[in-house]
Amino acid sequence: MFRTALRNVLAHKARLLMTVLAVMLGVAFVSGTLVFTNTISDAYQKSSAKGFDRVDVAVQPEYQDSKGNQVGRTPELTQALLEKAAKVPGAASVTGVVTGFTAVADKDGKLVGGDWQSAGGNYWGTEDPRYPLVSGHAPRGKDEVLIDSATAKRAGYQVGDTVRLSVDGPVLTPVISGIFTTDDGNVAAGGSLTLFDTPTAQALFGKKGTYDEIDVQAAPGTSQAALKAELDKALPAKLVDTTTGEQLADDQAELIASSMSSLKQGLLVFAGIALFVGTFIIANTFTMLVAQRTRELALLRAVGASRRQVTRSVLIEAFAVGTVAGVTGLAAGVGIGAGLRSLLGSFGASVPDGPLVISPGTVVAALAVGILITMLAAWLPGRRAAKIPPVAAMSSVHAKATTKSLVLRNTLGALFAAAGVAVVLVGTTMDTDSGQGAMGLGAVLLIIGVFVLTPLLSRPLIAAAAPLLRAFGVSGKLARQNSVRNPRRTAATASALMIGLTLITGMTVMAGSLQKSIDKMASSAIRADYVVSMANRGPLSPDVAKKIAASDGVTASSPLRNGESRIDGGTEFLTGVDGASIRELTDLKVTDGSFGVGGTRVVVDEDRAKEYGWSAGSRFTAHFEDGKAQRLTVAGVYEGNEMLNGIILDNKVLTPHLSDPADMQVMVKTADGASDGVKDRLEKTLGANPAIKVQDKQDISNEIAKSFTLVLNMVYGLLGMAVIVAVLGVINTLAMSVFERAQEIGMLRAIGLDRRAVKRMVRLESLVISLFGGVLGIGLGVFFGWAAGELLGAKMPTYELVLPWGRMAVFLLLAGTVGVLAALWPARRAARLNMLAAIKAE
């Protein structure tokens, strides 16, 4: 039986080729994902570990009390603490670390590096071993700065050049005193790092006389643990937390691995989809191979082979196919992993140097996936073949499925589909967090139900295409009959395409609907012409709001200022505004009272009002961060959204209680409205600052849309793998169907059907099957997109379902194109059959 199985593999190698390709693509996706994420993770871990080489113990503010609760105000690391740490036994040297956001402009005035990766810090003394100088000297005073070598190269800067930069609003123009190298991971990923002398950094980042961290280096012969113990004795435990360099490196490595884990899981999900689609092809292929060898298997049973041996022979074939697919998929995956790493560079992201990581786990996973998926998919056809009595098989009595089996299949499919629809509908009524799980379960049940019901659905849906097929004469009629002749085979082929289009359509519906809701939110909530903010969404200097208010053409403006408070024992963040101007700048719907902000009168969103039981006229006490309390009155309750929510009060009340006032954004209304000229004037007023963004409502919507578009394009690319696998399935099914119907095709040729008509018949059959899968996929995708939107709509009042008719038409056209292209080779093969040889074939 073993020799027979291997001979069958060699005898049908051409027919198994598409199956090998389908499994190979899925395995390549899995192994490529593992190689890519392991390589990037390893490179960043080694790079970050270098940054802790000179840190034996790090002293940081204690953010939690002894019970693990967040402290109200972060303790400060003062100069006195630094000097105390320097005198601890076993300490060789100490370094005070100051960090913050710093935006650097290139020579054209544009921001260098990413919005979130533009960092600043301090250079310790005249020679800081953390940042070896390539040229120049340490910065001296506020008029000198250091920049990293990667940024200098990208922006074309040299020592002695003047550079434009900003930390919180006002533009600075220091001279570049030196250029340094660094192992900082953000710089390696395309960001920038700017260093000032310590007093300047402390002043710029609002940390006068204090540090974010104190790094202590141990004297020779002193271990990190011993130094930590000495520091714990000398420094106040309630103010600081000490961590060894080894622990910092381990924590950083764990953080990097965790961040890469989400990427890895996301990519593996799409790999799983491709493999899931591949299982349909494998099952289809082995079902057809077994059907073609029914008499051969019956003869083996007649001469003594048991059912188990017949099943085992099919599984041996599957094992051989899976092994070949696993090995070739692993090799292709290594290439994909290397290619993805190189591809990052073309998007402007650089990765730390490091070797390509091919772990034993990757090799085992690739082979296991390839072999197990193939054997599991082939098990059912093998088991079904073994159960056929030899006499019945030889006389082909088994060929048609019994009425009982069809009724059972349709009943199970209907139950799964009904349960899936019910669970999805229930999920739409739940809150976002709990509804996601219910919706995921419902989606799985519904897809399984539709797949089981596909043979039943194929007849009426394909029959609907009959009028169009009649236009192609005999070829069209034969194509329709062939596509419904074996509903199970048609179902398996169409389902592979259905799954890919379901996900693509669902994502497209969600993305379009979300974009529409964001546009409505921006237009309905904001009357302001522009919103001014930092590039990294960090705090703005109050000077920015003052400059804008004094600018020509500005009729109203208001800074949005955040402050922390305690209300009824809980922490609440307050939003301070200009009470006199805020009504001209916003258009929030008031559901109770009026939108009157001024003095001690505040407005609250519906969520806060419900939580605290407030209504218009309610009074409450807010305890501010300086320890003082203020009695406030609720003037009105409004509908909050993602752009504006919470408790809004006048800045005249909030600002006196803030130790370091800073604005999150400034809303601006101008006499001339939003235009390119007004925008340019505002940007010039702010000194053409690289750190500041001036955006109108459309800019805000477009910025949010960029993230959706990026994710959507990534999903299209990743799901493209599943579509390619589905194409292979259509080719494989048609090719084997042509072989199976060789006698029939020969007979049609003999009675007058020419080669062109045979080609047309096969192409139309493929087109009908592909469009059938496309219609099912688009229909399911719209349903899932609607359901997901209902779930999101609970937190987004402006959500509105948008059906992208144009894109759905493109998807249907894509399905038809897949069918036509997939039929090229099988149709050519069918047309070239020798009619006499085909008629004689057994």
Side-chain angles (χ1 to χ4, degrees), residues 36 40 44 154 188-190 338-352:
F36 171 66
I40 299 300
Y44 273 111
R154 286 199 301 269
L340 287 174
R341 177 176 172 173
S342 300
L343 193 62
L344 287 179
S346 65
F347 288 113
S350 54
V351 179

Side-chain angles (χ1 to χ4, degrees), residues 403-673:
T403 303
K404 181 180 178 182
S405 68
L406 290 174
V407 170
L408 179 62
R409 178 182 179 123
N410 294 336
T411 303
L412 286 174
L415 290 174
F416 270 101
V421 171
V423 173
V424 169
L425 292 177
V426 169
T428 61
T429 64
M430 303 168 70
D431 61 81
T432 307
D433 295 330
S434 55
Q436 289 177 357
M439 200 163 288
L441 174 62
V444 171
L445 291 174
L446 180 54
I447 288 175
I448 291 173
V450 171
F451 168 66
V452 175
L453 284 173
T454 306
L456 178 66
L457 297 172
S458 64
R459 291 186 178 276
L461 287 178
I462 292 176
L468 295 175
L469 292 174
R470 287 196 194 104
F472 296 94
V474 175
S475 296
K477 183 178 180 180
L478 290 172
R480 185 184 68 81
Q481 291 175 347
N482 289 333
S483 58
V484 296
R485 177 188 296 181
N486 191 331
R488 291 186 177 183
R489 183 192 302 161
T490 299
T493 306
S495 295
L497 191 59
M498 175 193 78
I499 292 169
L501 285 178
T502 295
L503 297 170
I504 290 173
T505 305
M507 289 294 296
T508 303
V509 170
M510 282 184 60
S513 301
L514 284 171
Q515 181 58 50
K516 180 73 173 178
S517 68
I518 291 164
D519 289 342
K520 286 178 65 178
M521 185 188 299
S523 60
S524 63
I526 300 177
R527 286 181 182 171
D529 297 317
Y530 292 100
V531 174
V532 179
S533 62
M534 290 290 286
N536 70 333
R537 297 299 181 190
L540 275 166
S541 168
D543 291 341
V544 172
K546 293 176 183 177
K547 286 184 179 181
I548 289 173
S551 177
D552 292 338
V554 173
T555 58
S557 67
S558 173
L560 271 61
R561 189 167 295 169
N562 283 353
E564 189 176 341
S565 71
R566 301 281 292 178
I567 298 174
D568 292 348
T571 300
E572 282 289 347
F573 285 92
L574 310 174
T575 301
V577 299
D578 185 315
S581 304
I582 193 64
R583 284 303 302 268
E584 297 181 57
L585 301 167
T586 59
D587 191 19
L588 297 170
K589 184 180 179 182
V590 178
T591 57
D592 184 22
S594 63
F595 200 86
V597 178
T600 59
R601 291 166 59 83
V602 304
V603 292
V604 301
D605 65 357
E606 291 178 322
D607 290 342
R608 302 303 186 286
K610 184 178 180 181
E611 180 182 353
Y612 292 105
W614 293 337
S615 59
S618 297
R619 304 190 68 194
F620 64 93
T621 301
H623 298 268
F624 298 98
E625 64 177 51
D626 62 354
K628 296 180 181 179
Q630 177 74 57
R631 194 75 173 162
L632 302 173
T633 302
V634 177
V637 179
Y638 66 94
E639 284 186 2
N641 54 52
E642 296 297 319
M643 305 186 79
L644 278 172
N645 56 56
I647 301 171
I648 300 176
L649 74 165
D650 199 310
N651 271 326
K652 293 177 182 177
V653 176
L654 176 64
T655 303
H657 300 288
L658 303 179
S659 59
D660 186 20
D663 304 324
M664 296 311 295
Q665 55 185 228
V666 180
M667 304 177 79
V668 187
K669 192 169 184 62
T670 64
D672 299 328

Side-chain angles (χ1 to χ4, degrees), residues 25 51 166 314 333 364 407 425 497 539 551 584 621 629 660 730 765 778 805 818:
L25 285 173
S166 174
V314 175
V364 171
V407 170
L425 292 177
L497 191 59
S551 177
E584 297 181 57
T621 301
D660 186 20
V730 177
E765 180 183 348
I778 291 171
W805 295 105
V818 164

Side-chain angles (χ1 to χ4, degrees), residues 820-834:
V820 172
L821 293 177
L824 291 178
W825 178 61
R828 178 181 171 83
R829 184 181 177 189
R832 296 180 66 182
L833 283 174
N834 184 296

